[in-house]
Amino acid sequence: MPIEFEAPKPITNAQFVLKTVAEEMMRPNSRYFDEHEHEIPWNYIEFMHSAMKAMGGNSLAPREPAPSSPPPEDERHGGDGGKRPPIGYQLIAAQMEALSWGDVGLYHCLPGGGLGAAAVHAAGSPEQREKFLARFHGDKPTFAAMCITEAGAGSDNSAIRTRATLDEKTKEWVINGEKIFVTGGDKSFTEYEKLGRGFIVVWASIDPAAGRAGMRAFVVEGGTPGVRVVKLEHKMGIRVSDTAAISLVDARVPFENILGSPTVDQNPTGFKKAMATFDATRPLVAATGVGVARAAFEFLKERLAEREIHVRYGLPRQKLTSIERDVIDMEIMLKSAWLMVIKAVWMADNKKPNALEASMSKVRSGDICTKITQKVVEMLGPLGYSREFLAEKWMRDAKITDIYEGTGQINRLVVARQILGYSGAELR
Amino acid sequence: MYSFDPTEEQQMLIEAVNKYAANDLRPAARDAEESGELPQKIIAKGWELGLLQASIPETYGGFGERSAVTGALAVEEMAFGDLAGALAVTTPSLFATPILLMGSEEQKREYLPRIVEGEWSPYTAALIEYAFDFDPNDLKTTATLEDGRYSLNGEKAFVPFAKEAQALLVYANLDGQTQAFIVAKEAEGLSISEEREKLMGVNALPLYRVQLTNVKIPAANRLGGESGCAFEQLLASMRIANAAAAVGVANAAFEYSRDYAKEREAFGVKIAQKQAIAFMLAEMRTEIEAVRLLMWEAAWELDTGREDAVKDAYLVSTGAADMAMMVTDRAVQILGGHGYIRDHPVEMWMRNGRGFATFTGLAII
């Protein structure tokens, strides 16, 4: 295939459908749930669940156990039985961008396996996948979450202190620790009547002396005794998405719930696989940033158009107004960030190593998403700052895209190591 | 579909141009910059790569088909070697490509074979004018139709190889529209400055001021004949070429400063092992990638006849100018004091880097 920029039909179709979903089901709810933190958007969740079921489970939104796992074979091609190159990740990126344009917080409330299921998919055995992932095709909306961050281990998640020890008598894992910043942790763990039973994937060490080689992930079923959601964070933005702190005190988990080998070997596959999950999801998270930025950018252009301000593309910079220059700069940022996302996921679809491109797309998206939304609030003056409109919310929402799934700085580090050919030890 | 792989042919071309850029243009660049002269044999060698020839069909003496994507890939690679050299080698395209794209049948038959069949010869174009708010869509140079002939009046700046040029394509304002006119070197009223332009960078490229005083040319010399040309398409081609060259220069500066940072030691480690430097490099690489993808997209839009091409070419040219300045500035910064010394090329690339805000019109794909 030569260099081409034509969005494949499944992508343009998805964008078309999801725009309506965003406009009808997300935007009208944005403000309410921003102002009623920790209320669960049941109507939205139930609507999205049944809509996804009706459309075969994956046409409307990232398929379970997406967003990070490969979609089914038939979806991965242009719809002609496998003659064309796969587009699965591209499709997911487009869906995530479109839904984040609607509301990135509500996007995170989309039922499905999320990162928890992605970890099972990446690091679990075929039996584990079958056992843990079938639930996402059930009648009730069901969630799963990833518990990796701790108070003392954020970007440096090799510093995890949570311990898992094997009780030789009962053949159960006993887990102790405190996890924070668990996206969707409440909906995944707490047993709500309207939800199917979810799970959380808890990262813990089976041998602290072994460092990264001792790191493993465990599937902890919703409602497991000894595990408690101890706090729901109050956040700057994406308030509708619950961010839980979860404590595990002598939580007992069946032996077979460990993802990867139960013994420490020299090969730190468990940790590597966790990190591989992030490699795969980075451009997808970057896509959410692009979605938020586009929402703010389009809102700005609409307000300008109301005042008959139209950007005169083509004029020399010296003849442009400051507003026009800002809009043009934003458009350059936005378009290029999207192309970087698309390139990174296109590489993933075509099985090309994309660690550099994935991290670059995240760096770029975090940068431009925060810059654009901040600039839009500034340019719109009182309209931007007022909670009557959503621009100020998008600016608050946007900030998280430069933080979660690898801060802009961690991703710069990854990019730098790639371009310099340095290991983690050579460039700390 | 989306796809980011150049074709096999394009890949071969990129490698050939890259080899020329690395082995011929780059080693000659500093001397050429200081002396103001690029050796003719280097230009000739670049011409033999056949970039222009490959964009022109056999009917008109070439051996291929024009592709903006291919052109953009080639210009980036060549500018990676040296900007002035790249612009010198591709100067005949400034005249030939608009004729190929917009010329009348007679114009194509008259000019294209004689340009592409022989050795590199100076055919050129005059777009830029000497004003801080120069606008290619609002030229001060005018064309007026008088008694079946066009009369051209005005002043053009930064015209490559004007002195030696066999013919120039002069852009002028005809009833509010930018149109192009073929002007022979012997035309009466055409006056080319004795002195070359003295600029901040690209000193190896001979650029001249051109004065047009009642230059009368036959009506048939209007590009495209009676119906004229769609200038916005040509401008888009020039803007994409400008962006491609900017990416090439920026990438040269990025790679050079990256390699330097991996060699240079301070405080017991390579400076690239310091996050302050490593992060700069990461951002440079990211910005280059961003503009390169925009540039590819705009070129692809041009090739597939999409309306967006005109606007996107404008956006990428704008973005490329900012990016090239940022990246080349940082390259100098990474080398520190050494970057400021003319023994290293980064200071030259930084001076060239600022040029992309002004250079639209010096290259076309």
Side-chain angles (χ1 to χ4, degrees), chain B residues 285-337:
Chain B
R285 178 69 177 80
T286 303
E287 294 282 317
I288 290 170
E289 179 82 352
V291 172
R292 184 184 281 131
L293 293 178
L294 280 179
M295 180 257 285
W296 285 4
E297 184 184 44
W300 171 81
E301 286 169 348
L302 205 59
D303 280 340
T304 49
R306 270 150 226 263
E307 256 177 55
D308 286 349
V310 170
K311 179 182 158 192
D312 285 347
Y314 170 73
L315 292 179
V316 70
S317 186
T318 304
D322 288 345
M323 179 280 289
M325 187 73 257
M326 178 279 238
V327 171
T328 54
D329 172 78
R330 285 183 173 200
V332 173
Q333 191 70 23
I334 288 169
L335 269 73

Side-chain angles (χ1 to χ4, degrees), chain A residues 371-382:
Chain A
K371 264 186 212 149
I372 288 175
T373 53
Q374 289 165 15
K375 193 75 192 170
V376 166
V377 171
E378 178 222 301
M379 287 173 74
L380 289 173

Side-chain angles (χ1 to χ4, degrees), chain B residues 192-205:
Chain B
I192 293 157
S193 63
E194 282 303 317
E195 293 263 306
R196 278 163 58 165
E197 302 269 18
K198 294 192 178 74
L199 306 180
M200 186 189 200
V202 292
N203 288 316
L205 184 71

Side-chain angles (χ1 to χ4, degrees), chain B residues 83-134:
Chain B
L83 179 63
L87 296 177
V89 170
T90 57
T91 291
S93 301
L94 295 176
F95 186 89
T97 301
I99 288 182
L100 173 71
L101 298 175
M102 302 281 165
S104 65
E105 191 55 34
E106 296 77 48
Q107 289 165 349
K108 290 187 206 177
R109 286 189 187 283
E110 181 171 355
Y111 291 102
L112 296 181
R114 76 161 96 143
I115 295 172
V116 297
E117 278 170 359
E119 292 175 358
W120 181 93
S121 55
Y123 285 84
T124 188
L127 174 69
I128 298 171
E129 297 174 349
Y130 212 68
F132 83 91
D133 57 351
F134 163 68

Side-chain angles (χ1 to χ4, degrees), chain A residues 1-4 6 314-315 318 331-332 335 343 346 352 364 412 419-420 426-428, chain B residues 1-5 132 135 239 258 262 273 275 279 283 287 289 297 311-312 314-315 318:
Chain A
M1 291 281 290
I3 291 170
E4 268 187 38
E6 175 128 52
L315 275 192
Q318 295 85 335
E331 195 159 350
I332 293 166
K335 283 179 75 90
K343 185 179 176 189
W346 170 83
K352 296 171 190 272
R364 182 80 174 156
R412 277 167 174 75
I419 60 179
L420 290 161
E426 287 169 306
L427 178 60
R428 289 174 182 280
Chain B
M1 304 296 274
Y2 290 111
S3 176
F4 299 87
D5 279 334
F132 83 91
D135 182 352
R239 284 178 164 152
R258 176 199 62 192
K262 287 186 74 174
Q273 292 177 276
Q275 287 191 354
F279 279 22
E283 287 166 5
E287 294 282 317
E289 179 82 352
E297 184 184 44
K311 179 182 158 192
D312 285 347
Y314 170 73
L315 292 179
T318 304

Side-chain angles (χ1 to χ4, degrees), chain A residues 108 164 375 397:
Chain A
H108 286 295
K375 193 75 192 170
D397 288 351

Side-chain angles (χ1 to χ4, degrees), chain A residues 35 43-44 83 88 100 135 154 162 170 188 190 195 199 203 254 284 295 330 335 337 355 361 363 375 383 412 425:
Chain A
E35 296 188 341
N43 288 345
Y44 163 81
K83 273 174 247 149
S100 302
R135 67 189 75 194
T162 298
T170 62
S188 302
T190 306
L195 299 180
F199 62 78
W203 287 86
L284 300 176
M330 283 189 237
K335 283 179 75 90
S361 74
V363 168
K375 193 75 192 170
L383 277 69
R412 277 167 174 75

